[in-house]
């Protein structure tokens, strides 16, 4: 599915958050898969290639931590950013230990989410292309639009080229 | 509302507390007083009675001895008078039929011994007074054989007789000493009368002792010798001689004045010597000592009561202080428990609040997009209207950020994560807080920043991130306290024994005592609504206490405030610092 668009999966039991965040991301040229339950997220991720998953830590049913582990087990390439409204330092550390790329405090701004997604994709691209920070920066700096969605798109494009 | 109720309840508690200690003080005082004073009172009453008895007895003994000595003196006096009369018989000029000159010389002879002699008479064996010298010349030639005293003299085994006072032929009170002397077959009698007044004078001269009155009565209770103001001769005295003799000494009330009366029976005459002393005089010493004793006892009691009161007060004050510090501890515990429970509550609630906040925030983004042509929004009412809506939405977003700050802080305050302790130089840490942005901001606000660091500050084991947060918080508070400058903020560090002190002082508005009591309570703030969450100091205290430290405040309205963080430095931390740096 070479759309050239980055794909972000949002897993949150809060329907309205899912809706508004999906709208925001889609408007910024991001494919969004919005799911309300962890187990559904795991199943969906098997069918669709997801660049970054945003997972709420506290959910009914499959918890954020279990969802994180399942997602990472199924797709080692997929980066998972945990969003939590309550996470203690211990819980956050546990997430990072279980392969989360980052932990964001809820409520977070769109920019924070985009920044986390950019970092996640960027580090993966750097790994794949074996680039260092400086080389990466110079490659991204080309072009007039330096908005976050644009950078994310460029990163995605670089990744697809590499593949 | 809740606070008000709580404080009034606290006042009531304090009132109860005070009342309790007042009651305790009273009870303690009364029971110690009883414990000390009752035995003391019993003892003093006992000694008082004993002493009184002793003194009374001693006064009585004294009067008794006085009576006896007077009695002896009077006996001796009378014996002398008898001997005086006998001596006439043995004079060379004695004659069985004395003429007047002889009688006169006898009288002169007697008067040489005592001026009490009034006259002298000489009786032949028939009892006729054949010779007489004295003022009552008509008595010469009188027949005395029928007189009582004469008969008594004849009957008695002794060779003399002393009569009671009687009026006799001369019709004047007098008494007679008569002696008999057998010459051949006849029994001649020499008799002399004595003036009771003179004997009274004699009695007066031998009477020693204050207020002592002596008198003599015969066995019928008639006065024989008496002070003129006490009674008349031969009148009935109020005393019963027989009873007096039986009891030796007794207290008798006469004319509303009680007197101590001692009696002694004369040996020469059947008379009783009565020695009287008013009780007030007899017992004067006792009364004096009693007054001294009562005074001394009262003084002693007063001293003891004072001492007991002071002791009880001191004890109770100690207890009160202990209780007060216990109460304070309880308040602190309550405060700590409240912090924990608030934290737990906050942790539970924060997630629930954060979720809708996240929705609001993302929804704000969606609405902004609607009015933003960049993201495919329509310009329904023109570009200007869209910009305005976006601006309004940003205000909502700001409110969300503020709410987020509160929930984040609440969560932080409840998270009792173990601090990650690192050897830290506090001076550097403080510079990190204020350097750069903060310093520029202070300059803009016209606030002067003074750094007064102790260069020899040892490194201490703290969580630098958390302490940085605390210092940041205190500096923020200091800036807020200064309101609109100019003002000064002083950052100071000091080493004191095994402690490191961090001081943040401002020249701001300061705080009242009431405010100072509450500043560490969660949600208490003096800042205007929206500027402070009321959690900063509560969290700071939590952090500092978790590292074994404390925060103190000194403040005065109008003069500014100083917050002092005290953190423990390990023993030898300073020396260690030297070692590790030299090892490297």
């Amino acid at each position: 599915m070479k759309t050239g668009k980055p794909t972000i999966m949002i897993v949150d039991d809060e329907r309205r958050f899912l809706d508004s965040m999906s709208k925001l991301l889609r408007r910024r040229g991001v494919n969004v898969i919005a799911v309300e339950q962890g187990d559904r997220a795991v199943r969906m991720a098997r069918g669709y290639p997801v660049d970054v998953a945003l997972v709420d830590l506290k959910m009914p049913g499959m918890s954020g931590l279990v969802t994180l582990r399942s997602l990472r087990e199924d797709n080692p390439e997929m980066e998972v950013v945990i969003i939590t409204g309550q996470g203690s330092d211990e819980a956050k550390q546990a997430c990072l230990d279980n392969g989360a790329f980052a932990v964001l405090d809820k409520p977070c701004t769109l920019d924070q989410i985009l920044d986390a997604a950019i970092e996640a994709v960027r580090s993966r691209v750097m790994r794949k292309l074996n680039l260092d920070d400086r080389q990466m920066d110079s490659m991204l700096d080309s072009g007039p639009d330096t908005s976050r969605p644009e950078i994310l798109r460029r990163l995605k494009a670089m990744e697809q080229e590499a593949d | 509302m809740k606070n008000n109720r709580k404080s009034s309840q606290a006042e009531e508690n304090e009132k109860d507390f005070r009342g309790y200690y007042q009651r305790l003080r009273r009870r303690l005082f009364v029971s110690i007083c009883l414990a000390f004073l009752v035995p003391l009172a019993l003892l003093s009453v006992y000694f008082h009675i004993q002493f009184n008895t002793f003194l009374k007895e001693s006064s009585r003994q004294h009067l008794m001895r006085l009576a006896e000595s007077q009695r002896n003196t009077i006996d001796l006096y009378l014996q002398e008078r008898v001997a005086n009369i006998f001596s006439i018989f043995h004079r060379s000029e004695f004659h069985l039929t004395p003429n007047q000159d002889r009688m006169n010389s006898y009288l002169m002879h007697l008067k040489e011994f005592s001026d009490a002699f009034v006259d002298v008479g000489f009786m032949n064996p028939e009892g006729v007074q054949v010779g007489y010298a004295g003022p009552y010349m008509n008595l010469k030639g009188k027949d005395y054989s029928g007189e009582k005293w004469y008969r008594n003299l004849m009957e008695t085994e002794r060779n003399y007789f002393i009569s009671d006072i009687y009026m006799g032929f001369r019709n004047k009170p007098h008494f007679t000493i008569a002696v008999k002397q057998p010459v051949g077959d006849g029994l001649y009698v020499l008799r002399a009368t004595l003036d009771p007044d003179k004997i009274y004078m004699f009695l007066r001269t031998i009477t020693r002792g204050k207020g002592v009155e002596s008198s003599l009565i015969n066995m019928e209770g008639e006065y024989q010798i008496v002070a003129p103001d006490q009674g008349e001769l031969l009148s009935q005295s109020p005393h019963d001689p027989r009873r007096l003799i039986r009891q030796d000494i007794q207290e008798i009330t006469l004319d509303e004045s009680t007197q101590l009366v001692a009696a002694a029976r004369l040996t020469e005459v059947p008379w009783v010597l009565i020695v009287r002393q008013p009780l007030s005089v007899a017992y004067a010493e006792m009364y004096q000592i009693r007054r001294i004793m009562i005074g001394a006892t009262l003084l002693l009691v007063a001293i003891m009561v004072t001492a007991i009161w002071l002791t009880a007060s001191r004890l109770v004050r100690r207890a009160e202080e202990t209780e007060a510090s216990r109460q304070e501890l309880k308040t602190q515990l309550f405060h700590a428990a409240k912090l924990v429970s608030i934290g737990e509550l906050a942790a539970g609630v924060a997630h629930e609040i954060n979720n809708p906040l996240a929705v609001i925030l993302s929804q704000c983004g969606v609405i902004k997009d609607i009015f933003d042509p960049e993201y495919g929004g329509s310009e329904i009412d023109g570009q200007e209207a869209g910009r305005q809506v976006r601006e309004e939405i940003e205000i909502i977003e700001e409110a969300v950020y503020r709410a987020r700050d509160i929930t984040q802080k609440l969560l932080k305050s409840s998270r009792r994560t173990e601090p990650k302790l690192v050897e830290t130089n506090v001076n550097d840490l403080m510079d990190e807080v204020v350097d750069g942005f903060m310093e520029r901001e202070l300059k803009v606000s016209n606030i002067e920043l003074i750094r007064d660091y102790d260069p020899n500050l040892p490194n201490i084991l703290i969580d630098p991130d958390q302490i940085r947060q605390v210092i940041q918080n205190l500096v923020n508070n200091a800036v807020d306290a200064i309101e609109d400058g100019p003002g000064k903020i002083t950052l100071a560090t000091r080493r004191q024994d095994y402690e490191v002190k961090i001081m943040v002082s401002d020249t701001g508005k300061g705080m009242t005592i009431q405010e100072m009591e509450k500043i560490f309570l969660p949600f208490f703030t003096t800042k205007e609504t929206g500027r402070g969450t009321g959690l900063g100091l509560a969290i700071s205290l939590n952090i500092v206490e978790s590292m074994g430290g404390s925060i103190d405040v000194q403040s005065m309205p109008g003069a500014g405030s100083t917050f002092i963080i005290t953190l423990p430095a390990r023993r030898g931390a300073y020396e260690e610092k030297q070692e590790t740096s030299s090892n490297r």
Side-chain angles (χ1 to χ4, degrees):
Chain A
M1 207 167 116
K2 298 214 168 187
T3 58
K5 277 186 179 178
T7 305
I8 293 179
M9 180 160 77
I10 312 176
V11 190
D12 199 308
D13 58 322
E14 180 68 51
R15 181 76 234 171
R16 293 185 187 285
F17 181 73
L18 276 185
D19 288 349
S20 53
M21 199 45 84
S22 304
K23 277 182 198 164
L24 286 171
L25 288 172
R26 281 190 188 119
R27 286 228 173 83
R28 281 155 185 79
V30 178
N31 272 334
V32 178
I33 301 167
V35 241
E36 280 179 87
Q37 286 114 34
D39 48 350
R40 258 180 67 86
V42 174
R43 279 202 301 280
M44 291 286 281
R46 285 176 192 147
Y48 297 92
V50 173
D51 292 307
V52 179
L54 302 173
V55 179
D56 186 19
L57 192 57
K58 195 184 168 201
M59 288 185 296
M62 189 187 273
S63 77
L65 193 63
V66 178
T67 309
L68 159 72
R69 279 163 66 173
S70 308
L71 288 174
R72 292 283 294 169
E73 267 170 36
D74 288 355
N75 319 279
E77 292 281 276
M78 187 199 293
E79 295 295 358
V80 180
V81 174
I82 296 292
I83 303 177
T84 172
Q86 191 208 9
S88 61
D89 287 344
E90 287 86 353
K92 285 179 180 175
Q93 194 57 50
C95 293
L96 295 174
D97 292 345
N98 280 286
F101 180 77
V103 181
L104 293 181
D105 281 319
K106 207 177 191 177
C108 48
T109 61
L110 178 64
D111 286 348
Q112 281 176 308
I113 288 173
L114 284 173
D115 282 344
I118 287 168
E119 280 303 310
V121 179
R122 179 186 157 122
S123 67
R124 194 167 65 211
V125 172
M126 278 163 66
R127 220 169 33 244
K128 279 184 182 170
L129 299 180
N130 212 5
L131 296 171
D132 61 19
D133 266 331
R134 203 173 45 77
Q135 291 167 313
M136 194 74 220
D137 284 345
S138 64
M139 286 177 80
L140 282 176
D141 272 350
S142 58
D145 189 358
T146 54
S147 70
R148 287 184 178 86
E150 177 58 26
I151 291 171
L152 191 58
R153 270 197 302 278
R154 278 186 212 162
L155 281 169
K156 178 66 185 171
M158 283 170 70
E159 191 179 16
Q160 280 177 336
E161 258 173 51
D163 288 342
Chain B
M1 181 77 188
K2 196 183 168 196
N3 266 347
N4 283 346
R5 210 192 59 216
K6 211 187 76 189
S7 71
S8 74
Q9 197 185 333
E11 270 167 33
E12 226 161 79
N13 279 350
E14 198 174 314
K15 220 190 283 168
D16 278 1
F17 191 61
R18 289 258 167 84
Y20 169 72
Y21 279 103
Q22 265 163 17
R23 283 197 298 280
L24 184 68
R25 180 178 293 141
R26 242 189 337 261
R27 275 209 302 273
L28 198 63
F29 175 64
V30 169
S31 49
I32 297 178
C33 275
L34 286 179
F36 273 88
L37 296 183
V38 165
L40 183 78
L42 289 176
L43 212 64
S44 78
V45 166
Y46 171 75
F47 277 116
H48 188 80
I49 291 169
Q50 285 291 315
F51 207 67
N52 269 2
T53 315
F54 169 75
L55 280 175
K56 245 182 190 171
E57 196 51 43
S58 130
S59 294
R60 283 159 170 255
Q61 290 293 332
H62 174 73
L63 198 65
M64 197 62 222
R65 275 199 306 278
L66 198 67
E68 276 166 5
S69 104
Q70 281 192 13
R71 189 260 321 267
N72 290 343
T73 311
I74 292 167
D75 272 340
L76 200 66
Y77 178 85
L78 291 174
Q79 279 163 11
E80 271 173 9
R81 298 295 81 79
V82 170
N84 293 155
I85 298 167
F86 265 118
S87 71
I88 293 173
F89 281 116
H90 304 292
R91 282 171 70 93
S92 55
E93 47 181 0
F94 181 73
H95 201 276
L96 286 178
T97 51
N99 59 18
Q100 191 58 42
D101 284 346
R102 281 224 168 103
M103 286 313 292
N104 285 347
S105 92
Y106 293 164
L107 184 59
M108 288 293 289
H109 174 72
L110 287 178
K111 282 199 170 178
E112 273 171 29
F113 292 111
S114 168
D115 61 353
F117 286 111
V118 177
D119 57 5
V120 64
F122 183 67
M123 267 133 262
N124 64 13
E126 283 75 42
V128 178
Q129 186 158 269
V130 292
Y132 174 83
Y136 304 102
M137 287 307 290
N138 58 329
L139 296 178
K140 191 176 175 184
K142 288 255 184 208
D143 182 2
Y144 282 90
S145 59
E147 284 293 298
K148 195 175 160 204
W149 66 264
Y150 190 83
R151 287 207 307 278
N152 279 333
L153 178 64
M154 291 302 126
E155 283 159 19
T156 183
E157 285 174 19
R158 292 195 296 191
N159 55 1
Y160 66 93
F161 176 77
I162 302 170
S163 75
D164 285 359
I165 287 195
Y166 64 105
M167 302 302 277
F169 292 121
R170 66 190 71 176
N171 207 17
K172 191 172 186 287
H174 66 287
F175 71 96
T176 294
I177 301 177
V179 304
K180 54 184 179 188
Q181 177 72 41
V183 179
D185 294 335
L187 205 55
Y188 292 88
V189 171
L190 252 179
R191 65 136 216 164
T193 57
L194 285 95
D195 182 356
D197 290 344
K198 289 286 194 290
I199 298 197
Y200 168 69
M201 294 308 285
F202 173 73
L203 203 54
R204 283 268 307 270
T205 60
I206 60 168
T207 300
R208 292 179 308 274
K210 226 172 141 191
V212 175
E213 286 285 353
S214 301
S215 55
L216 289 165
I217 57 172
N218 65 9
M219 295 313 280
E220 278 73 50
E222 292 163 348
Y223 277 125
Q224 300 299 302
I225 304 288
V226 68
D229 57 333
Q230 294 287 317
E232 267 182 43
L233 286 179
L234 285 178
S235 68
Q236 191 63 38
S237 84
H239 306 292
D240 176 1
R242 280 163 234 286
R243 232 182 78 207
L244 279 178
I245 289 162
R246 269 201 308 279
Q247 296 208 344
D248 283 351
I249 194 152
Q250 59 190 212
E251 284 171 25
I252 293 168
T253 306
L254 289 175
D255 307 332
E256 291 170 2
S257 84
T258 307
Q259 299 199 316
L260 197 61
V261 177
R265 188 179 180 154
L266 270 62
T267 47
E268 294 304 324
V269 232
W271 293 355
V272 175
L273 173 71
I274 296 173
V275 180
R276 298 191 302 192
Q277 196 175 24
L279 220 53
S280 56
V281 177
Y283 294 160
E285 193 189 8
M286 186 184 84
Y287 292 143
Q288 173 72 13
I289 286 175
R290 180 189 287 173
R291 273 197 296 278
I292 291 171
M293 262 177 81
I294 289 173
T297 307
L298 285 179
L299 189 71
L300 196 69
V301 165
I303 290 170
M304 279 179 76
V305 165
T306 312
I308 289 169
W309 175 250
L310 290 177
T311 310
S313 291
R314 214 178 56 212
L315 272 175
V316 170
R317 205 166 47 243
R318 286 252 175 89
E320 210 170 347
E321 277 165 11
T322 312
E323 179 63 22
S325 61
R326 206 178 66 87
Q327 283 282 340
E328 200 181 321
L329 212 65
K330 229 167 88 181
T331 315
Q332 285 172 358
L333 275 176
F334 173 74
H335 174 199
K338 197 171 144 194
L339 263 184
V340 169
S341 61
I342 283 176
E344 280 165 1
L345 179 74
V349 166
H351 181 250
E352 303 310 321
I353 293 176
N354 280 338
N355 270 335
L357 285 181
V359 175
I360 295 172
L361 199 56
S362 54
Q363 207 62 44
C364 283
V366 173
I367 296 169
K368 271 160 81 182
D369 280 0
I370 291 172
F371 292 96
D372 194 341
E374 195 186 331
Y375 298 107
S378 58
E379 293 179 45
I380 305 162
D381 295 316
Q383 205 174 355
E384 185 56 26
R387 203 181 54 77
Q388 270 182 19
V389 171
R390 286 207 303 280
E391 275 175 19
E392 301 299 329
I393 294 295
E394 268 158 22
I395 295 172
I396 298 177
E397 284 179 340
E398 264 170 41
V400 173
Y401 296 146
R402 226 170 71 200
R404 183 183 61 179
D405 281 350
I406 295 172
T407 55
Q408 299 279 321
K409 277 183 180 165
L410 269 176
L411 284 170
K412 273 191 187 131
S413 74
S414 69
R415 268 177 226 144
R416 275 168 294 158
T417 49
E418 283 298 309
K420 294 174 195 71
L421 299 180
V422 179
E423 289 252 335
T424 310
N425 184 305
V426 176
N427 293 344
D428 295 347
L429 196 67
M430 291 178 79
D431 279 340
E432 277 176 41
V433 173
V434 288
D435 276 349
F437 174 71
M438 174 72 88
E439 211 169 11
R440 281 198 299 280
E441 197 188 9
L442 291 178
K443 252 177 212 155
V444 171
S445 310
N446 200 5
I447 295 172
E448 188 188 348
L449 183 72
I450 297 165
R451 301 177 209 216
D452 175 18
Y453 299 155
D454 183 348
N456 296 320
L457 207 65
N459 286 357
I460 53 173
L461 265 185
I462 51 170
D463 185 328
D465 291 332
Q466 291 192 347
I467 293 296
R468 193 185 292 120
Q469 189 193 338
V470 172
I471 296 169
Q472 176 83 57
N473 188 283
L474 293 182
V475 174
N476 285 344
N477 286 349
V479 173
D480 288 340
I482 290 173
E483 290 177 320
D484 22 43
K488 263 191 255 178
I489 293 177
T490 308
L491 301 180
T493 54
R494 289 286 181 274
R495 179 193 189 196
Q496 198 176 69
D497 299 328
Y498 295 104
E499 284 176 341
V500 165
K501 290 190 185 293
I502 303 170
M503 284 158 279
V504 180
S505 313
D506 64 66
T507 56
K509 57 181 174 179
M511 288 177 287
T512 63
I513 292 170
Q514 287 79 11
E515 283 173 334
M516 270 199 279
E517 280 171 0
K518 292 182 191 153
I519 49 171
F520 291 107
L521 294 176
F523 303 114
F524 177 82
T525 180
T526 60
K527 297 177 188 175
E528 57 190 275
T529 316
R531 287 203 66 178
T533 58
L535 289 169
L537 281 175
I539 293 166
S540 297
L541 184 64
N542 228 12
I543 289 172
V544 172
E545 281 179 349
S546 75
M547 292 171 203
S550 61
I551 303 184
D552 295 302
V553 204
Q554 294 166 354
S555 185
M556 221 162 65
S561 311
T562 300
F563 283 80
I564 302 162
I565 305 171
T566 306
L567 287 163
R570 275 184 303 118
R571 272 161 193 272
Y574 184 68
E575 292 78 2
E576 247 173 57
K577 180 193 164 200
Q578 310 270 327
E579 263 175 47
T580 46
S581 56
S582 62
N583 282 351
R584 265 173 207 160

